[in-house]
Amino acid sequence: MPLALLSALAEPTRLGAIQILADGQEHCVCQLMTRLDASQSRMSRHMQTLKQAGLVVDRRDAQWVRYRMNPDLPGPACAILEAVLEAAETEQRKAA
Amino acid sequence: MPLALLSALAEPTRLGAIQILADGQEHCVCQLMTRLDASQSRMSRHMQTLKQAGLVVDRRDAQWVRYRMNPDLPGPACAILEAVLEAAETEQRKAA
DNA sequence: GGCGTATATGCACGAAATAGCATATGCGTT
DNA sequence: AACGCATATGCTATTTCGTGCATATACGCC
């Protein structure tokens, strides 16, 4: 399990998406692509990857597809995720 | 920092090497290649990658090069590593 | 049904990662 | 100096990954 999770997170756009979704809210693809400055197909594909890795879940809502963190993420995976998010945040702070 | 670390860990042979080095001991390349069933050049290159990512440190000892975990791994990286190792261990247990 | 917006996907391409083979380098032994 | 063992590295082939472009699909609205 860790291998799939790690490869899914080891890409800038995908990690960025996870950071955004880490607020616990739902976000549609168009929001993500705007905030991450990614093209539509690119963002869509990355979200597929995250979905396959079990990190996120999607839901159709009218014309939009809303992504959110997978609430049933198993414990070990959750621990990795938290550590990664914490590290990313720390890194951004030091950039000041 | 998390990106480099994640990419370094997101490969089976490298993750295996880290798991072996997690015992806190030093291990030379020949030990690692035997235990992980990898060719010499392959193992050497993967260790270079881990070294560049700052995960491991090496030391020449006669004809051998001994690798060990980087003792100065920064806190956030350390947290990620621990979570990954824990997840890997959990996964192996469930394989019974 | 036709149109506009949002998202997914087939296809092709360039970039990067991985691996093997051969060879170089470092070190101890004789 | 010659040899053997351990490790690194140059070169190349193969594969995988990320991307853009075009197109398909889904949905709401008129």
Side-chain angles (χ1 to χ4, degrees):
Chain A
M1 164 109 52
L3 270 175
L5 207 160
L6 291 169
S7 344
L9 293 176
E11 199 279 337
T13 305
R14 288 198 293 265
L15 185 55
I18 290 293
Q19 291 190 76
I20 292 176
L21 293 180
D23 68 359
Q25 303 297 309
E26 286 185 325
H27 296 267
C28 61
V29 179
C30 54
Q31 285 175 359
L32 297 170
M33 51 180 287
T34 302
R35 291 181 59 176
L36 296 172
D37 191 37
S39 79
Q40 189 272 316
S41 70
R42 214 179 114 204
M43 186 54 73
S44 176
R45 283 222 163 78
H46 281 307
M47 294 317 288
Q48 287 305 312
T49 303
L50 290 174
K51 188 177 162 189
Q52 281 190 339
L55 275 165
V56 304
V57 176
D58 64 345
R59 167 178 81 92
R60 246 240 125 90
D61 177 14
Q63 43 219 291
W64 301 279
V65 173
R66 315 257 185 208
Y67 282 91
R68 66 180 190 281
M69 287 304 234
N70 176 8
D72 299 327
L73 202 60
C78 202
I80 295 179
L81 186 56
E82 285 176 20
V84 169
L85 288 172
E86 174 65 26
E89 210 174 290
T90 300
E91 183 184 28
Q92 287 174 355
R93 259 196 288 270
K94 104 182 169 220
Chain B
M1 162 106 55
L3 269 175
L5 208 159
L6 291 168
S7 346
L9 293 176
E11 200 278 338
T13 305
R14 289 198 293 265
L15 184 56
I18 291 292
Q19 291 190 75
I20 292 177
L21 293 179
D23 68 357
Q25 303 296 308
E26 287 186 325
H27 296 267
C28 61
V29 179
C30 55
Q31 287 175 358
L32 296 170
M33 50 180 288
T34 303
R35 291 181 58 178
L36 295 172
D37 191 38
S39 80
Q40 190 273 316
S41 69
R42 215 177 113 205
M43 186 54 74
S44 177
R45 284 219 163 82
H46 280 308
M47 294 317 288
Q48 288 305 311
T49 303
L50 290 174
K51 187 178 163 188
Q52 280 190 340
L55 275 164
V56 304
V57 176
D58 64 345
R59 167 178 80 93
R60 186 110 228 178
D61 178 13
Q63 43 217 290
W64 301 279
V65 174
R66 314 255 184 211
Y67 284 91
R68 67 179 189 284
M69 287 306 236
N70 176 8
D72 300 326
L73 201 60
C78 202
I80 295 180
L81 187 56
E82 285 177 20
V84 169
L85 288 171
E86 174 65 26
E89 210 175 290
T90 300
E91 183 184 30
Q92 288 174 355
R93 258 197 289 269
K94 102 180 170 221

